[in-house]
């Protein structure tokens, strides 16, 4: 079973693990529950994954489009928007920017707590790798589809 979609950037890139790594995973799970989509299977051309898809909706003030309509039957739209805000705070690229789990519980349970605006989440960029191996005159070019791994493209 692969779980790389739930791993924090500091763990993936540097092997560092902290309590904020769990917060990142929790944020991914929240977004999956709220949208009824898996992190790695979002069919959105502009986004690499669910985090990117959620961020795009957040930036365009269309977060309501991310949510599973079934959830709106039992939970108000403002509360669902709040949950997405909390989830996006949990998946911040820098661990220092993420809340603690105690803060997350407080933000979820206390509607009077003002939430900060999230910054761009980790692992959302998609690079265009078309023409990367043959259009550069035969020289190798470093590229990464997910900005996590680095691959050198050598034509055979």
């Amino acid at each position: 079973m692969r779980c790389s979609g739930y791993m924090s950037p500091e763990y993936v890139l540097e092997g560092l693990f902290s309590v904020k790594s769990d917060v990142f995973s929790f944020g991914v799970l929240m977004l999956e529950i709220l949208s009824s989509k898996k992190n790695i299977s979002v069919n959105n051309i502009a986004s690499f994954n669910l985090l990117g898809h959620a961020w795009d909706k957040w930036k365009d003030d269309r977060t309501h489009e991310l949510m599973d309509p079934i959830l709106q039957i039992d939970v108000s739209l403002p509360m669902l928007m709040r949950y997405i805000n909390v989830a996006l705070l949990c998946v911040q690229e820098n661990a220092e920017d993420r809340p603690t789990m105690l803060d997350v519980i407080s933000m979820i349970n206390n509607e009077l707590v003002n939430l900060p605006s999230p910054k761009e989440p980790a692992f959302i960029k998609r690079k265009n790798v078309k023409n990367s191996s043959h259009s550069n005159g035969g020289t190798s070019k470093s590229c990464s589809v997910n900005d996590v791994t680095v691959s050198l493209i050598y034509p055979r």
Side-chain angles (χ1 to χ4, degrees):
M1 180 164 123
R2 294 184 60 197
C3 58
S4 58
Y6 305 94
M7 290 185 205
S8 65
E10 62 274 11
Y11 183 75
V12 170
L13 298 173
E14 301 171 31
L16 300 175
F17 187 80
S18 71
V19 294
K20 298 286 185 100
S21 300
D22 288 338
V23 172
F24 183 90
S25 301
F26 182 78
V28 174
L29 286 171
M30 275 186 74
L31 287 172
E32 287 183 333
I33 291 168
L34 292 167
S35 67
S36 294
K37 293 179 170 75
K38 291 183 178 183
N39 186 30
I40 56 172
S41 65
V42 174
N43 295 324
N44 182 353
I45 295 170
S47 300
F48 176 67
N49 57 19
L50 180 58
L51 303 182
H53 182 64
W55 180 247
D56 289 343
K57 296 294 184 190
W58 178 267
K59 284 189 317 187
D60 296 339
D61 201 26
R62 298 181 313 154
T63 311
H64 62 280
E65 294 175 12
L66 175 69
M67 292 177 271
D68 184 344
I70 292 288
L71 293 176
Q72 295 180 25
I73 295 171
D74 295 325
V75 183
S76 69
L77 184 61
M79 279 309 293
L80 290 171
M81 302 284 280
R82 182 176 185 82
Y83 296 153
I84 288 177
N85 190 345
V86 171
L88 287 171
L89 289 170
C90 291
V91 296
Q92 300 297 279
E93 186 161 8
N94 295 318
E96 299 84 32
D97 294 334
R98 291 180 219 136
T100 63
M101 279 308 294
L102 186 62
D103 291 335
V104 170
I105 300 302
S106 175
M107 289 186 270
I108 291 172
N109 288 332
N110 187 352
E111 297 176 37
L112 300 178
V113 172
N114 288 328
L115 301 180
S117 292
K119 298 175 185 173
E120 185 175 281
F123 305 132
I124 68 166
K125 294 181 178 103
R126 171 179 281 206
K127 286 193 177 184
N128 184 359
V129 294
K130 290 181 186 175
N131 305 324
S132 63
S133 64
H134 296 292
S135 65
N136 58 6
T139 60
S140 66
K141 182 177 179 181
S142 176
C143 70
S144 173
V145 174
N146 59 8
D147 285 338
V148 176
T149 59
V150 178
S151 302
L152 295 176
I153 307 294
Y154 294 104
R156 292 185 182 208

